[in-house]
Amino acid sequence: MLIEVSAFWIVGLNVIGIPTAHLFVAWWSMRMPLSLFRVERPLYRVRKWERGGVVYERLFGVRSWKDKLPDAGPWFSGFSKGGLESRDRGYLQEFQRETCRGEFSHWIQVIVISGFVVWNPYPASLVIVVYAVLSNLPCIISQRHTRCRLERILRR
């Protein structure tokens, strides 16, 4: 713990701060220009080892649970990633970029929420970091899986 605060303030900062961080980062990333999110950038590039999304299906069973994840895009008047609305090439490319935006948002949420360790004593600080990763990892997996599948469709 780098910042000494009372237990009352630790609980308050965590209970109010963590959901606020999730929502603020999602809102902030929705305000960023879509042109910043390019599928060929290193973070977003589809890798060979992902095997067109098959890795996420076999290791994590992503198809069985991805529909249960919240899609914050529409909450902030953004792009809905709940399903394909068109097979138009332009739409599919925009959808890919939106998966990059979603992945970016969740990686930033991991970083921001992990920053809460500064006022949380050990082992609560460890719990915060584990929460930050586990609460965002399913969304990151889903974004990557969807991007892999969209790439396969666009290659046809």
Side-chain angles (χ1 to χ4, degrees):
M1 174 168 40
L2 299 173
I3 299 174
E4 292 284 333
V5 294
S6 71
F8 173 81
W9 281 106
I10 290 171
V11 170
L13 288 168
N14 291 340
V15 167
I16 302 295
I18 291 172
T20 301
H22 279 293
L23 293 172
F24 176 78
V25 171
W27 173 85
W28 171 71
S29 67
M30 290 298 301
R31 300 298 174 268
M32 298 175 79
L34 190 57
S35 60
L36 293 175
F37 304 100
R38 299 192 180 278
V39 295
E40 59 276 352
R41 292 215 165 128
L43 178 63
Y44 311 122
R45 192 176 315 131
V46 172
R47 311 281 193 239
K48 274 187 174 184
W49 63 262
E50 293 174 292
R51 297 179 25 222
V54 172
V55 164
Y56 302 114
E57 294 168 17
R58 292 209 177 131
L59 279 179
F60 303 106
V62 67
R63 285 183 183 229
S64 67
W65 51 260
K66 70 184 262 175
D67 293 339
K68 294 170 180 58
L69 296 174
D71 181 3
W75 299 354
F76 302 111
S77 303
F79 191 94
S80 174
K81 294 176 289 303
L84 282 182
E85 294 179 10
S86 169
R87 292 234 179 227
D88 174 69
R89 186 166 191 78
Y91 169 81
L92 295 172
Q93 289 170 330
E94 180 182 3
F95 199 143
Q96 273 189 311
R97 289 180 132 182
E98 289 291 348
T99 66
C100 296
R101 182 196 309 267
E103 183 178 349
F104 169 82
S105 177
H106 287 287
W107 281 119
I108 297 301
Q109 288 175 48
V110 169
I111 294 166
V112 170
I113 293 167
S114 292
F116 284 44
V117 301
V118 299
W119 58 74
N120 280 281
Y122 182 83
S125 56
L126 180 61
V127 171
I128 294 292
V129 172
V130 169
Y131 166 80
V133 172
L134 293 181
S135 67
N136 286 286
L137 193 58
C139 300
I140 292 167
I141 289 168
S142 176
Q143 299 295 338
R144 294 207 60 87
H145 175 256
T146 300
R147 190 161 49 256
C148 290
R149 293 184 66 212
L150 288 168
E151 185 173 284
R152 283 192 329 227
I153 293 169
L154 283 164
R155 279 192 204 152
R156 293 184 195 157

